[in-house]
Amino acid sequence: MSRIIDLLGTLDLKYIRFTFPLGLAFLILVPWTIGLGSKLRSLSATRKWTAITIRVIVLLCMIFALAGAELVKINDKLAVFFLLDRSYSIPEATRLAAEQTVKTMTQANMTSKDEAGIVAFGENPSIELSMGPTLELDTVQSYVGGEQTDIAAAIRLAMAAFPQGCMRRIVIMSDGNETYGSLLEEAKLAQAAGVGVDVLPIVLGQQPEVRMREVASPNRVNADEPFKLRVVVEADQDSQATLRLYQRGREGRQLMQTAPVTLQKGDNAFLLPLELSNSGFYEYEAVVESESDTTYANNEGRSFTVVYGEPNVLYVDADWEHSQRLLPALQSEGVRVTQAKLGDLPTSLAQFQNYDSVVLADVSATDLSTDQLNALEAMVRDLGIGLVMIGGPNSFGAGGYHQTPVERALPVNMDLTQRKVLPQGALVCVLHTCEFQDGNAWARAIALSALDVLSSQDLMGALAYDWERGEAWLFNLQPVGDKSAMRSALNTTTIGDMPSVDPTLEMAYEALANCSASVKRVIVISDGDPAAPQASLLNKIKDAKISVSTICINPHRQSDQDMLRWVAYQTGGNYYYVTDPRKLPQIFTKEAAVVKRGLVVEKPFVPKVTYDSEIVRGIDPNSFPSLLGYVATTPKDSAIVSMISQDSDPVLAQWRYGLGKSVAFTSDVTTRWAPDWLKWEGFNQFWSQATRWSLRETSPASFSVDTRVKDGKGHIRIDAVDDQGRFVNFLRPEGVVTGPSPQFTRGALELIQTAPGIYEGTFPLEGSGTYMVNLTYEREDGSRGMMVTGLSMNYSKEYEYNTTNIAMLEQAASVGGGRILEPTSNPFEHNLTTTPAITPIWPYLLAVAACMFPFDVFVRRVVIDFTIVFRWLLAFLRILPGVKRLLPKPKPKRAPLTGVYGAGTKAATTLSYSRVGGDLPRSLQDMPAPPPGQPSALEDMPAEDTEKQAPRSEYTQQLLAAKERALDKRMRRGKQDSDR
């Protein structure tokens, strides 16, 4: 039995094989089925063997399906994938030459038994042309990124895209300078899978090159401490060059040194002495320029230095009156403050590193760019830099900070969710079709941006011209709520070209005039070509204290602008003429923020101290003077509210956010709301304590941190040594890495101890730019510290190479079982191991079995008289024109027989009925003779009765015979009983 199982287990036919060959053991049922079917006596021989054949076919199909039948096809077709290197290390002219080489090789060598395809690769692989019998290559269109070279990923993609049942070959066309992945490992795996790996080297020209190899500076130094910057320049030959050094700090980018240098072949190191007196984060950029150079993208390098000294605060305000009192107050308390205008606010985290806290006084969100809003949140969360926001009519919710990144960093929310009586704003957007590319998409986008600014209690409506309904509401003026329904309506609408502004303004006026909002606003975006509204309507709008702001974009003529400017002027709104659609969302955000002016509460009150925090500690809680107004907000759950208004709204709140801290003071520091505070003797102490509490926490400078690029990743090493020179172990450091702008991607960094006092970790690099790293650690005694550093991805490592790595390519061809090709070689040689193409056929077998089973039942249960079918067919053909004369004429019907012959026929028929029913004698000899002169009983039978006795089929005759035998047996048994 074991030998049978082994034989079934190794069964592999040439064109069919079985996944589960043990299932073939059920073939023993085939002879049993044949034997069982042959014993049937109720069917004719033809029908019996037909039924047996069908049943055997059904059984075989089911057995083969159970065994997992697969069709194996073996052919000598060859499939070749060309892998084209599109990384930055290969010049464009060389890439085009490689494409032409592929065209030439395929046209000269490809036959009808060959298929070819192309995979382009760089940082990522992409199938440029799928496998096919022809290669129609014009030029490579796939974008694969050139910052890295990942040949291994291209091999994996080609392996997955190969067709089955043919020989497979990969032709790598590259310079061999991989920066990611392992070419040799993937070549080994491909060779093990039966795929040949050939290599056609892309030879790079030996042109002179000068590149910046390294720029290194101390990670951290103290103020007024001298240090040296190390610059390493690599040259392929002796040459002359100019070296320039730039420094980027709080004063911006400045040229520090320019010097002519003599470069020798190989690495050239230069040490530049530096000294800084101001604390902050400084970035250095070294640039080398030489006439003996061909690629300029690799001529720059960067490094960082953090100078520790007195903390520095960045102060930004929108009203000069803030700086007239607050700035001197902070400076008098010994706080180093740098004042900046709104336009000078940093946009990158590297620039924010120069400060330990940022103070924003009555600054509106509409005056800040998206990059600045994102950077303000990231600096608090990831770098530990403090944020102090001071109120005013253009700050907090009234300044459009609702649902912005800055709101997430602050201890208060701009939406008033817990007040019983809420100041409401109402906004109606009138959208006219914008006749420029993607105009309607922009119209929807700006309406959505306005919606984001509004709180859930505010009112909003949207009007547009519909081609079927005319002027209609996209959604009526109603509370914003969760905004989902309004977003859906704006995203799915189609905006038409309205003939006149008058109907929509009338509808907006009726809706706003009947609402109880404290601030009412209409925003119209149009090209100005609709008919102007009536002056009487504009007067009604103005009398109802509704202002209309108009935005003109892509006007047809000067009169279009004049109409929109007139509407805004008549109602006290603003007029905007926009030439760049990208500025539209910011304008709508600013206009929507006006609606939030209802959040401004202007009435006298004395703030009440509710918590003795670090900001108010040491100040008599009864000494705080009165304030005349503030911006209403809602405190967050984990925030500390130290001071509240008469309505229990927060006036002073603070909390920790990520690694940093933020403070919110909802009143101002001007004569508008705080005239008594400006004269208060505790004014300087209060604001110096608030600012100092928000400062970034830094650690002693006893640890050194080294950052560098290694194996395509960022690598960080901490050397932890205390003041006595002893290793500091078991620190449990961790960090946060923030990527370059504008995305500011954030990722966690884990460091492990690899040696006494040494901690190391890595993080991915997604491209060139500045990566900011904030490290925190905890000592065994529970004390904590923080270290700030960074890493510059100077340029893609692709620009480090200008030669072909022949050794790597030759080794890849060797381990891949291939060869080094020339442009004249034939990559379509059929000298590889064939690979069978396997197609599972068990589903088809089950389908055949299911279809054949009804035929088995049909053959055994249904009797067909083919003579009748044949007569029907002849009768049908005779009625067809032109066919009747081609058929034989039918024989005439014979008259019924009479006399002796007729009697004999009738007697035979009657005999047949007698044998069945038992009413007639069993033979004609038993019938009594008729009296003389009378006809026979058979002759008296009607002719129609005789005609009814049609010949029986073979199956019916067998049934009748069986019944006769049963009747004879019963009669004999009854006779025997009577004799007894």
Side-chain angles (χ1 to χ4, degrees), residues 544-562:
K545 297 182 179 181
I546 302 171
S547 58
V548 180
S549 291
T550 57
I551 302 173
C552 181
I553 184 168
N554 200 37
H556 301 285
R557 57 190 70 87
Q558 181 62 38
S559 59
D560 297 338
Q561 300 185 49
D562 296 338

Side-chain angles (χ1 to χ4, degrees), residues 488-499:
S488 177
L490 291 172
N491 283 321
T492 57
T493 185
T494 300
I495 303 171
D497 191 0
M498 69 175 64

